[in-house]
Amino acid sequence: MVDSYWLAEPAPTLRSRRFVGMPEVEIVGGGVTGCACALSLARAGVRVRLHEARTIAGGASGRNGGFALRGGAMRYDEARATIGPERAKALWALTERGLAEIRALAGDAFRHTGSLRLAGDAYELEELKSELGALAADGFGVEWLDDLPPQLAGFAGGIRHLSDGALHPARWVRRLAQHAADAGAEVLEHSPVGALVELSAPAVVIATDGYTSGLVPMLDAVVRPIRNQVIVTEPLEQMLFPIPHYARQGYDYWQQTPERRLIVGGRRDADAAENTAEEELTPLIQERLEAFVGELVGRLPAISHRWAGIFGSSPDKLPLAGAVPAQSGLWVAAGYSGHGNVLGFVCGSLVAAAIVGRAPTALELFDPARVLG
Ligand SMILES: Cc1cc2nc3c(=O)[nH]c(=O)nc-3n(C[C@H](O)[C@H](O)[C@H](O)COP(=O)(O)OP(=O)(O)OC[C@H]3O[C@@H](n4cnc5c(N)ncnc54)[C@H](O)[C@@H]3O)c2cc1C
């Protein structure tokens, strides 16, 4: 089936109010970012309307690997070197708090499992050791895996990030949208925004990540779309990979669902053509993913689902979250570079706080002006 396994779960009916008159804030995009922003604004008493062109979670938020990871697109040791130790520590702590909030809101769409980062070779093993040392020194929960089980015999070593979890991402974001609607937001599906002039609110939040909306050309020039493809097997006999696993700097990622289906994604480094906004499958990446499934389980089980999704990358691997420079009333939260399940929730909430005048200091790191000039 060429569709997301997650989105194939029937969506509960979204119960949302309809405003009479003008909203105070309009959000473009109904993924985790837009829904988190809508929830925070509605809780603050703001009249907020969210527009989603397809259905809630119809973009990357319902098409991803389901990994809920702390931190960002950089390893922790890399982040310390790039943005400085204090800011790296603050960012990791911020996302751990985000994970706790997700856990409280998501119900059975979140499982606290931890995640396993594996070394594909000796070079990556050194990277893991460096990350482990930096995390442990700053008090973040992490463990070295001495003995890898037989199904991971091809890897050189691994570390377990204790705070992380596994999401049913579509179930989670649909639930988040309902939380926002229950708090008073107007959530509109099948509501594409063709141009900013169609919107009437004095404040607008662009929450379209890799589905670059064409609404603000300067954002589209900086948040670049990248495609990822995913395949899912029929349930395996055994539970071999019960928690999120990733290796080769995140180019390979896999986990089993509670019903023992194996979800495998990535391999995008095999083809430069994956730097695209086209939500299509390609024979090359599909073959590579099937070959990887074969390596993991020793045979190729029947494949039940295949799909592609698009995420937005930023030039420095940090999100853009905050006010768009020189555009009064325009805000953005996007560009998570493939790590938006937790960061998207955090950034959507932070932008909402900034709109109501709380100006969180955490937003300084994500200031869009640093890359928009
Ligand atoms: C295959 C894949 C695997 C991934 N795996 C992981 C993972 O395991 N862990 C992780 O943390 N991250 C992962 N990511 C990244 C993560 O999914 C994204 O960073 C995150 O979902 C971004 O959420 P968002 O709400 O910002 O954007 P999206 O969920 O992409 O939502 C943007 C929405 O905007 C809508 N839109 C666009 N233009 C308009 C318009 N003009 N009018 C109205 N609506 C519009 C789109 O329809 C879309 O629904 C993965 C991404 C992909 C593609």
Side-chain angles (χ1 to χ4, degrees):
M1 183 194 288
V2 184
D3 201 2
S4 159
Y5 166 73
W6 313 114
L7 288 169
E9 178 172 279
T13 304
L14 179 66
R15 300 173 308 280
S16 173
R17 64 186 295 171
R18 288 294 172 115
F19 289 143
V20 178
M22 199 168 77
E24 294 165 288
V25 179
E26 282 174 278
I27 298 170
V28 186
V32 65
T33 303
C35 294
C37 189
L39 174 61
S40 291
L41 287 169
R43 280 181 171 171
V46 174
R47 284 165 60 88
V48 53
R49 175 179 291 155
L50 181 148
H51 300 268
E52 166 51 48
R54 301 200 277 191
T55 53
I56 291 299
S61 293
R63 297 169 176 275
N64 62 58
F67 289 30
L69 310 178
R70 69 180 166 204
M74 288 180 256
R75 293 188 320 274
Y76 187 60
D77 55 316
E78 195 186 349
R80 280 172 57 94
T82 309
I83 61 176
E86 290 310 315
R87 295 210 291 181
K89 190 174 179 182
L91 172 56
W92 258 245
L94 180 71
T95 53
E96 285 202 346
R97 289 196 296 277
L99 272 161
E101 284 180 59
I102 290 171
R103 197 172 170 178
L105 288 166
D108 66 359
F110 178 86
R111 291 177 294 124
H112 182 206
T113 55
S115 73
L116 203 52
R117 176 163 183 225
L118 294 154
D121 55 26
Y123 180 79
E124 197 170 14
L125 189 65
E126 291 309 309
E127 288 183 343
L128 257 62
K129 286 179 183 167
S130 176
E131 181 169 39
L132 175 99
L135 284 167
D138 280 346
F140 291 110
V142 63
E143 285 174 356
W144 185 258
L145 296 184
D146 287 323
D147 296 314
L148 294 180
Q151 64 269 28
L152 298 177
F155 295 94
I159 59 175
R160 186 170 177 139
H161 294 270
L162 302 182
S163 60
D164 297 344
L167 285 165
H168 187 306
R171 189 187 298 166
W172 150 234
V173 175
R174 287 165 173 165
R175 200 162 277 168
L176 184 61
Q178 188 59 59
H179 282 308
D182 291 346
E186 184 182 41
V187 181
L188 302 177
E189 297 183 294
H190 308 292
S191 179
V193 176
L196 289 182
V197 291
E198 292 173 13
L199 305 176
S200 54
V204 170
V205 181
I206 305 293
T208 51
D209 197 36
Y211 293 81
T212 46
S213 55
L215 300 176
V216 187
M218 82 158 106
L219 286 179
D220 294 354
V222 169
V223 179
R224 303 302 303 156
I226 294 184
R227 178 171 62 206
N228 251 236
Q229 301 182 39
V230 181
I231 61 177
V232 177
T233 71
E234 293 292 350
L236 305 181
E237 296 79 31
Q238 286 179 289
M239 183 60 95
L240 299 170
F241 309 106
I243 72 172
H245 290 56
Y246 56 110
R248 291 201 316 113
Q249 289 80 26
Y251 284 119
D252 297 334
Y253 50 90
W254 66 102
Q255 65 164 320
Q256 276 176 272
T257 64
E259 58 167 340
R260 300 193 309 279
R261 289 178 190 273
L262 179 61
I263 300 192
V264 175
R267 294 270 150 151
R268 70 181 164 89
D269 55 326
D271 192 353
E274 293 302 284
N275 296 331
T276 176
E278 295 299 316
E279 211 178 64
E280 284 172 3
L281 303 179
T282 63
L284 174 63
I285 300 293
Q286 291 293 305
E287 278 167 26
R288 296 291 171 96
L289 290 174
E290 289 183 6
F292 188 50
V293 169
E295 288 171 31
L296 289 172
V297 299
R299 65 185 176 87
L300 181 60
I303 304 298
S304 60
H305 298 75
R306 303 173 189 269
W307 71 88
I310 312 295
F311 67 75
S313 69
S314 80
D316 58 4
K317 295 192 191 173
L318 290 170
L320 282 69
V324 177
Q327 304 241 13
S328 177
L330 190 61
W331 301 79
V332 62
Y336 312 108
S337 302
H339 285 252
N341 278 342
V342 179
L343 265 181
F345 177 82
V346 166
C347 288
S349 309
L350 286 174
V351 165
I355 290 172
V356 298
R358 278 192 255 127
T361 51
L363 272 184
E364 287 167 15
L365 184 59
F366 307 141
D367 185 356
R370 77 185 189 280
V371 284
L372 293 175

